[in-house]
């Protein structure tokens, strides 16, 4: 393995260390205006973006569209709560791999049951539980990346000169892409199952209401 490839692998692993999530403690305990929300998200998540000097993490248009598409409850008097910000973090990670309708399926039960819930088990506790898995998962991810990188280095042993270096990197990218593709299929399958469960529950609820109305009329 060449020094250049060592540097490449180290660079990739270092980029994983720049992937940070927002701790609930980082979010102000006061409601925020739109400009304050976008600035906060930008400051906390910009370091992991592809083009840090150009990329917009979250814009006003994005947030308005999320509200219009029922991904995000509307603000109160143009102000967004801590729970709004937590939901925006989920949306930020989902939007690169899932459709709007899939994100709706995932977040609608969350917003309906746990948004601005004063009980002990609420949106913040769900957020903490999910992102508490990050450290262990990141170490496993790094080990998997290293394994895939080493395997790609063994491909195309007979390719000539610079072509060999390109093809090894191409092989590595293909391996990572296939992994993402398979995981995306798995996520979509689970989302479809969740959607089916909600549709079934909704159908039963509707039927129940119809029966109740019919019974009341008969009485």
């Amino acid at each position: 393995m060449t020094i250049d490839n060592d540097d490449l692998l180290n660079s990739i692993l270092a980029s994983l260390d720049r992937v940070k999530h927002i701790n609930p403690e980082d979010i102000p305990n006061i409601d925020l205006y739109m400009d304050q929300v976008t600035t906060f998200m930008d400051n906390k998540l910009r370091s992991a973006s592809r083009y840090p000097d150009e990329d917009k993490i979250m814009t006003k248009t994005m947030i308005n569209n999320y509200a219009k598409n029922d991904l995000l409850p509307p603000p109160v008097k143009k102000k967004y709560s801590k729970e709004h910000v937590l939901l925006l973090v989920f949306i930020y990670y989902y939007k690169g791999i899932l459709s709007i309708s899939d994100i709706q399926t995932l977040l609608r039960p969350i917003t309906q049951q746990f948004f601005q819930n004063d009980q002990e088990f609420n949106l913040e506790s769900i957020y903490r539980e999910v992102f508490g898995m990050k450290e262990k998962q990141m170490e496993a991810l790094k080990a998997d990346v290293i394994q895939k990188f080493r395997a790609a280095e063994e491909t195309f042993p007979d390719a000539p000169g610079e072509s060999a270096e390109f093809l090894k990197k191409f092989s590595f990218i293909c391996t990572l892409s296939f992994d993402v593709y398979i995981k995306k299929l798995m996520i979509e399958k689970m989302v479809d199952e969740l959607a089916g469960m909600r549709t079934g529950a909704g159908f039963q609820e509707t039927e129940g209401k119809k029966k109740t109305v019919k019974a009341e009329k008969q009485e």
Side-chain angles (χ1 to χ4, degrees):
M1 179 178 288
T2 65
I3 294 178
D4 286 342
N5 283 339
D6 278 330
D7 288 343
L8 174 60
L9 179 58
N10 290 331
S11 175
I12 291 170
L13 296 176
S15 70
L16 294 179
D17 289 330
R18 291 195 297 273
V19 177
K20 305 295 182 183
H21 79 276
I22 296 175
N23 292 312
E25 292 81 8
D26 297 334
I27 304 172
N29 285 319
I30 59 173
D31 293 346
L32 305 175
Y33 285 107
M34 175 79 82
D35 287 341
Q36 293 173 309
V37 172
T38 55
T39 299
F40 175 81
M41 296 288 286
D42 192 69
N43 289 340
K44 293 297 182 180
L45 299 175
R46 173 174 291 277
S47 62
S49 63
R50 186 175 184 180
Y51 304 111
D53 295 332
E54 303 174 17
D55 290 343
K56 295 292 185 182
I57 300 300
M58 197 75 68
T59 66
K60 295 179 182 179
T61 301
M62 289 179 188
I63 295 175
N64 285 330
N65 284 336
Y66 299 150
K68 288 178 182 178
N69 286 284
D70 297 326
L71 302 184
L72 189 73
V76 177
K77 296 181 180 180
K78 298 184 178 181
K79 286 188 174 183
Y80 296 83
S81 66
K82 184 176 185 177
E83 288 83 0
H84 279 105
V85 177
L86 294 175
L87 285 172
L88 285 172
V89 176
F90 280 118
I91 294 170
Y92 172 74
Y93 289 117
Y94 287 148
K95 67 187 180 71
I97 56 173
L98 295 176
S99 66
I100 291 293
S101 62
D102 284 345
I103 300 175
Q104 286 174 339
T105 299
L106 282 173
L107 292 185
R108 188 174 290 120
I110 300 296
T111 56
Q112 288 177 346
Q113 298 179 54
F114 306 109
F115 183 79
Q116 293 183 340
N117 184 339
D118 293 332
Q119 302 299 316
E120 182 177 352
F121 191 75
N122 53 25
L123 177 57
E124 183 174 334
S125 63
I126 292 172
Y127 183 94
R128 288 181 184 278
E129 185 77 19
V130 171
F131 282 95
M133 301 166 61
K134 173 181 174 291
E135 296 303 325
K136 290 182 179 179
Q137 292 302 313
M138 186 60 75
E139 292 306 312
L141 177 60
K142 286 182 180 180
D144 183 63
V145 167
I146 292 171
Q147 186 275 325
K148 285 180 169 61
F149 188 87
R150 303 292 188 211
E153 280 295 295
E154 301 300 320
T155 61
F156 302 105
D158 300 324
E162 293 182 359
S163 295
E165 290 303 308
F166 168 78
L167 290 172
K168 291 177 190 296
K169 291 182 176 64
F170 180 73
S171 178
F172 182 48
I173 290 171
C174 287
T175 302
L176 292 173
S177 299
F178 182 70
D179 185 71
V180 172
Y181 171 72
I182 293 298
K183 288 177 179 176
K184 186 171 184 291
L185 289 180
M186 293 167 60
I187 293 170
E188 290 172 343
K189 179 176 177 58
M190 288 187 285
V191 170
D192 289 342
E193 290 179 354
L194 290 174
M197 290 171 60
R198 287 186 57 79
T199 300
F203 175 77
Q204 292 172 2
E205 181 182 357
T206 301
E207 288 298 301
K209 288 180 178 178
K210 287 181 179 178
K211 291 178 181 178
T212 301
V213 171
K214 185 177 180 180
E216 289 175 349
K217 287 183 177 179
Q218 288 175 344
E219 291 177 357

